[in-house]
Amino acid sequence: MPRIVAPSMLSADFGHLDRDTRMVDRSAAEWIHIDVMDGLFVPNISFGFPVLKAIRRASAKCLDVHLMIVDPERYAGRFVEAGADIVTFHYEAARDIPACIGSIRRAGARVGISVKPATPVEVLCDLLPSVDMVLVMSVEPGFGGQAFIPEALQKVADLRAMARQLGLETLIEVDGGISARNAGAIFAAGADVLVAGSSIFGAADPEAEIVRMLNA
Ligand code: DX5
Ligand code: ZN
């Protein structure tokens, strides 16, 4: 499986969104991670459609939208129209998971489902064949800059085993507290995509930090 790094725009400088998006666009990162928060599912509010559209205009890369919102089935399709290539919603937030998956697929994007640190990956067993990706949260969703929760490594390994048993090539993404220091261990546990915000945008040379993560 190829390694992918997805810089999280939550840590970008919103006063220079175009500049920071173009930096990621020329970097070795294949995806751009976009965190949408509603102040209800998580105790923080980030941004919505206009910001996603601006990022879409500044980059041709895969836009990986992480919805931390209640009732994601209400809005998932609109995020695809605004430019998302992959839409991930939270297992804990959706009232009607099949409807949410259906609305993302009908709108033409790939589907991800995410679990918070306290949610066991076993709840996803029956859903695995109908999604393209699982996002394992390695911090409590809501804020950048938190410490990586090491139990996420076992969840990644368990998910990889579960997918293999079912004969699926489900992508596994991990999000929160990731830097070049722990990226190697997370890839080794079976992850395909690593999200990183503060470690990349806080680095003196963000493009070099992305390369360090890919080679970790
Ligand atoms: C947190 C978000 C993350 C966040 C990660 O709820 O889902 O994508 O941007 O930030 P860092 O890499 O700083 O932990
Ligand atoms: Zn995220």
Side-chain angles (χ1 to χ4, degrees):
M1 288 279 205
R3 293 177 162 197
I4 294 172
V5 166
S8 169
M9 298 306 288
L10 191 63
S11 291
D13 178 347
F14 297 140
H16 297 95
L17 186 60
D18 191 68
R19 179 199 68 190
D20 284 5
T21 306
R22 287 179 200 282
M23 179 278 292
V24 178
D25 193 59
R26 25 165 225 278
S27 78
E30 284 182 49
W31 290 13
I32 300 182
H33 186 82
I34 294 161
D35 290 300
V36 177
M37 305 178 183
D38 66 354
L40 293 169
F41 181 67
V42 290
N44 195 12
I45 296 177
S46 58
F47 47 71
F49 307 114
V51 170
L52 174 59
K53 285 181 185 163
I55 294 170
R56 175 79 290 167
R57 280 196 297 275
S59 176
K61 294 210 168 170
C62 174
L63 298 191
D64 169 39
V65 173
H66 176 193
L67 298 181
M68 286 162 273
I69 65 174
V70 297
D71 299 340
E73 49 275 58
R74 289 177 65 190
Y75 295 105
R78 282 184 64 193
F79 282 100
V80 182
E81 285 161 29
D85 296 295
I86 301 182
V87 177
T88 297
F89 63 94
H90 267 268
Y91 172 83
E92 303 87 355
R95 277 195 280 200
D96 188 342
I97 289 176
C100 199
I101 293 172
S103 71
I104 297 167
R105 283 216 191 286
R106 273 194 306 280
R110 286 192 275 172
V111 177
I113 190 162
S114 182
V115 282
K116 298 208 279 185
T119 304
V121 292
E122 287 71 27
V123 301
L124 301 176
C125 196
D126 292 344
L127 294 166
L128 230 45
S130 39
V131 299
D132 302 292
M133 183 171 83
V134 174
L135 167 51
V136 174
M137 287 307 298
S138 44
V139 297
E140 285 302 331
F143 300 91
Q146 304 178 76
F148 183 82
I149 298 172
E151 285 75 19
L153 289 172
Q154 190 58 50
K155 292 172 87 171
V156 171
D158 291 349
L159 263 173
R160 181 51 71 213
M162 204 190 288
R164 199 173 290 132
Q165 249 175 15
L166 294 167
L168 299 169
E169 293 196 348
T170 314
L171 286 170
I172 301 175
E173 180 177 51
V174 185
D175 182 5
I178 301 176
S179 69
R181 279 202 311 279
N182 55 10
I186 308 167
F187 278 130
D192 306 292
V193 187
L194 303 189
V195 176
S198 49
S199 66
I200 290 175
F201 287 97
D205 183 346
E207 289 184 63
E209 181 66 15
I210 290 166
V211 172
R212 271 196 290 280
M213 284 181 65
L214 283 167
N215 297 329

